[in-house]
Amino acid sequence: MAEIEVALVAVRDIFQDEAGRKSLFSEEYRILSALITLDKQDMAGLAVKDGDKLLVKSEAGSIVVAARASKDDAKEAHPGLAFMCISPWYSQLVPDDGCERISVEATLAPTTASVTAIAEIQARMKS
Amino acid sequence: MQCLHCDLSEQGHRVRLGEGEGEKQMAICTGCSLLCEDIVASFENGSLKHAKNLCRRGHGHFQAALTERTRPLIDGEQVAVDKAIERAAEILKSAKRPLLYGWSHCTQQAQFAGMALAEKLGTTAEVTLDGASSFCEGILMERILAGKISTCTLDDVRNYADTSIFWGSDPSSSHPRHLSRFSYYPRGEKRQRSYEEERTCIAVDVRRSPTAQLCSNYYFRLQSGGDAQFMEAVLAVLDGKIPKVADKKKMIELATILKKTEWGAIFPGPGLIYSLQDKMDLFEQLLARLNEITSFKVVPMLADCNARGFNELLFEKTGHAGSVSIQGGSAAYSAEHSVLAAAKKCDAVLAVGSDPLADLPIGTARALARQPIIAIDPRRSLTTDAAKVVIPSALTGLEAGGTAVRMDGVKINFEPIMKSELLTDEQILVRIMEAI
């Protein structure tokens, strides 16, 4: 199965932020947070389309999120660069050194597993 | 200039309060560090009846007042708030290395109370006091508060700025009214022709963010972590050298804009600060060079409503904007006192005005979750769910009045617009201190 490495950069999104302010535990917030935006070339390399699930692994941990193709055109292509909103899902991938919070090295691979639920993240805290 | 919506005083803006529930009232939005003071809102029968001038983020913030409110809990069981405060005091009193974390959503009054609590606990314990901005915006704030980097108010930006640079920041997503109130669209004292003719907006970022899309021709795309390299290229081209970048023509165009600027402002965000880290001197070097040519100021894009207030408080006490240890009556700064290090050695956690289990790296969050957590929070969060003691508090700005410091250092005073029986963060902290 295809696997690629990316620099995963944390970003903000006004819609995700608003959903989180209403409830961190809502389905709306999960959908907008457990989402990785990839360049079209990387989507093709992984043989995934919008909504397919990806296992994202870093040295700190792993999560399952939904994939989405970037809307940037060819001129703004960014293969090897992926984006996720700042959220408890992104925090699962951040190492403890504090200097890499805005960007982490991650490996992506297609998966059939379900998107990581907030309850699962909470359970990890207790493990 | 007299503010249209409030009485301007030396201490800052103070919003006039309306006359009761259900009526439209002027309000401050504490949804981000812009602290917009022109909000008109009314609540009735448990819902937001009317809202004017709120951005999408602010609207979410106001609606949050009505959902997922916390209850006083000990080990998941509901108790009287007095019991929860008593238990919190017992935990903190018996701790040898308590961590007091958060503060960026609290009023200055609560932050002062937190400092007093830390000092009291510090007589018998090693207390770590830290906030979310200490290893990001705090690094830049420290240099601004020390006078190493020239800054200005957002009102100055509105009145004078003809060039605004959003570097590693995306206000359209993080501070949605930044461009409309201050940096791009408004007609200021010297900028009556505003964005149509007089203002230039530049975005420097790793992605074409919503703000970068507004900046159209003046978006400069960086490689991830490429801020220092870009800065060196700007410095080179300002000195008439050929920059080491692929698009030399565009870089020369940028230098031309910078040189022609009459009054410029740079708004650095986490993207720039995390990328530079120990190369912050390079940023100072760039600013020094720009200020030889023209006038450029810096206003950091602090996220939370009173992150700057906490930075200022710690700086006043220790000369540093975060990561402080208080022991035996004296305060000291060290990276060893950051939340990342303290999480691994602390034996109790007081989380107030933040959700560290959601925001911090998983390893740190897991370490914190192993300790007894006291969470003072108006709303349910990952931290309140894992806390040993939960103490519900009034929402800052909506149910609790006080003072917060806007991202540019202007103090904003506000009064509550919703009636609430809940104690404020400040009142809870004072009561914990009394119980100790």
Side-chain angles (χ1 to χ4, degrees):
Chain A
M1 196 174 278
E3 188 176 281
I4 63 166
E5 288 184 4
V6 295
L8 178 57
V9 176
V11 297
R12 290 193 181 275
D13 173 79
I14 187 81
F15 299 96
Q16 182 257 5
D17 184 280
E18 185 194 26
R21 280 164 190 271
K22 289 179 192 165
S23 174
L24 293 177
F25 304 90
S26 67
E27 183 67 1
E28 183 189 7
Y29 184 63
R30 185 190 64 78
I31 289 168
L32 294 170
S33 301
L35 181 67
I36 189 166
T37 304
L38 299 174
D39 186 76
K40 294 182 186 81
Q41 289 179 45
D42 290 336
M43 295 282 281
L46 288 164
V48 293
K49 56 184 188 310
D50 279 1
D52 285 353
K53 311 294 183 291
L54 288 176
L55 175 65
V56 186
K57 283 197 282 189
S58 75
E59 66 170 275
S62 65
I63 48 166
V64 176
V65 300
R68 180 177 67 179
S70 169
K71 286 176 183 160
D72 288 345
D73 58 22
K75 194 180 158 193
E76 297 291 342
H78 52 85
L81 190 61
F83 304 106
M84 269 185 78
C85 286
I86 294 170
S87 74
W89 283 265
Y90 180 76
S91 298
Q92 303 305 297
L93 303 167
V94 181
D96 258 355
D97 57 15
C99 299
E100 301 288 335
R101 264 188 91 201
I102 207 74
S103 172
V104 295
E105 298 301 317
T107 306
L108 314 181
T111 180
T112 53
S114 303
V115 168
T116 308
I118 191 80
E120 193 181 329
I121 289 172
Q122 289 184 288
R124 289 179 188 184
M125 306 277 180
K126 293 171 188 168
S127 64
Chain B
M1 189 183 290
Q2 176 70 40
C3 176
L4 294 174
H5 304 293
C6 67
D7 306 316
L8 205 59
S9 70
E10 278 183 11
Q11 286 74 39
H13 300 273
R14 176 174 286 278
V15 164
R16 286 190 292 265
L17 188 65
E19 292 295 329
E21 220 171 74
E23 288 189 21
K24 290 177 189 173
Q25 298 182 77
M26 293 302 299
I28 294 275
C29 176
T30 47
C32 78
S33 60
L34 284 184
L35 294 166
C36 293
E37 65 246 88
D38 59 350
I39 309 303
V40 181
S42 67
F43 289 91
E44 197 171 72
N45 300 325
S47 66
L48 182 59
K49 184 184 169 193
H50 175 89
K52 186 180 170 189
N53 294 335
L54 280 174
C55 67
R56 182 170 281 277
R57 186 174 184 172
H59 191 257
H61 178 65
F62 270 56
Q63 284 197 319
L66 310 165
T67 59
E68 298 197 331
R69 299 303 298 260
T70 48
R71 295 170 299 154
L73 302 171
I74 298 176
D75 294 322
E77 297 293 322
Q78 187 161 352
V79 296
V81 71
D82 292 347
K83 279 277 178 202
I85 289 172
E86 195 180 303
R87 185 75 189 101
E90 285 167 11
I91 291 169
L92 290 173
K93 193 177 177 182
S94 62
K96 299 286 181 227
R97 294 176 303 279
L99 165 65
L100 314 187
Y101 180 80
W103 310 103
S104 57
H105 287 285
C106 299
T107 60
Q108 272 200 306
Q109 290 76 7
Q111 291 171 351
F112 291 146
M115 178 57 84
L117 175 62
E119 286 170 344
K120 182 162 189 172
L121 291 169
T123 57
T124 56
E126 182 189 351
V127 183
T128 299
L129 191 60
D130 205 1
S133 70
S134 68
F135 42 84
C136 184
E137 294 96 336
I139 297 167
L140 185 57
M141 272 310 305
E142 229 170 77
R143 290 172 187 249
I144 286 173
L145 294 171
K148 292 179 181 174
I149 291 178
S150 182
T151 191
C152 64
T153 67
L154 290 171
D155 304 284
D156 292 334
V157 172
R158 183 182 58 233
N159 286 326
Y160 309 120
D162 55 347
T163 299
S164 288
I165 304 177
F166 300 101
W167 195 323
S169 60
D170 174 21
S172 293
S173 301
S174 60
H175 302 79
R177 298 185 69 205
H178 194 286
L179 283 89
S180 60
R181 289 187 64 206
F182 302 110
S183 54
Y184 193 44
Y185 295 112
R187 302 194 190 285
E189 196 178 313
K190 300 279 186 192
R191 299 292 163 214
Q192 282 297 302
R193 294 183 188 278
S194 191
Y195 72 101
E196 299 102 325
E197 293 180 29
E198 288 184 309
R199 292 193 204 266
T200 302
C201 185
I202 297 167
V204 182
D205 209 331
V206 295
R207 67 163 183 152
R208 188 178 279 276
S209 66
T211 304
Q213 288 170 39
L214 284 172
C215 296
S216 60
N217 293 333
Y218 302 114
Y219 164 50
F220 293 83
R221 186 164 160 209
L222 296 178
Q223 297 298 311
S224 179
D227 298 69
Q229 195 183 0
F230 187 82
M231 242 169 235
E232 283 165 354
V234 176
L235 277 165
V237 80
L238 286 173
D239 289 338
K241 297 173 188 164
I242 296 172
K244 293 175 185 170
V245 291
D247 195 342
K248 292 179 174 53
K249 190 180 165 191
K250 198 169 180 188
M251 186 58 83
I252 291 166
E253 189 186 357
L254 173 63
T256 306
I257 295 167
L258 297 178
K259 284 177 179 173
K260 283 184 179 172
T261 295
E262 289 176 6
W263 205 103
I266 302 178
F267 303 100
L272 169 66
I273 299 164
Y274 276 117
S275 174
L276 282 186
Q277 286 290 330
D278 55 354
K279 291 180 186 163
M280 200 56 80
D281 288 346
L282 188 61
F283 185 50
E284 281 188 33
Q285 201 183 324
L286 174 64
L287 289 166
R289 184 72 186 92
L290 286 171
N291 278 294
E292 284 170 12
I293 302 166
T294 179
S295 176
F296 262 92
K297 312 287 184 189
V298 174
V299 181
M301 299 290 279
L302 292 154
D304 300 334
C305 70
N306 200 18
R308 177 151 180 163
F310 186 62
N311 289 151
E312 288 188 359
L313 173 64
L314 287 195
F315 187 82
E316 192 185 308
K317 291 275 180 185
T318 68
H320 292 276
S323 306
V324 167
S325 168
I326 297 172
Q327 192 174 17
S330 64
Y333 162 84
S334 162
E336 288 301 304
H337 306 314
S338 79
V339 64
L340 302 178
K344 292 172 179 64
K345 61 177 186 179
C346 69
D347 55 0
V349 181
L350 174 69
V352 52
S354 72
D355 185 4
L357 266 53
D359 301 336
L360 292 172
I362 177 63
T364 305
R366 200 177 271 152
L368 292 179
R370 287 190 201 109
Q371 305 305 329
I373 297 175
I374 301 150
I376 301 176
D377 205 310
R379 301 186 67 239
R380 184 187 173 202
S381 68
L382 266 61
T383 306
T384 62
D385 273 14
K388 187 168 188 63
V389 180
V390 178
I391 307 172
S393 61
L395 272 162
T396 300
L398 292 171
E399 298 166 330
T403 308
V405 184
R406 202 166 69 181
M407 65 159 67
D408 58 350
V410 172
K411 287 185 179 176
I412 308 281
N413 302 311
F414 46 87
E415 292 177 39
I417 60 162
M418 295 172 73
K419 286 177 184 169
S420 173
E421 301 291 314
L422 292 165
L423 297 171
T424 64
D425 293 329
E426 180 194 10
Q427 289 168 330
I428 293 165
L429 290 162
V430 167
R431 286 189 55 185
I432 289 174
M433 200 155 43
E434 286 168 356
I436 290 170

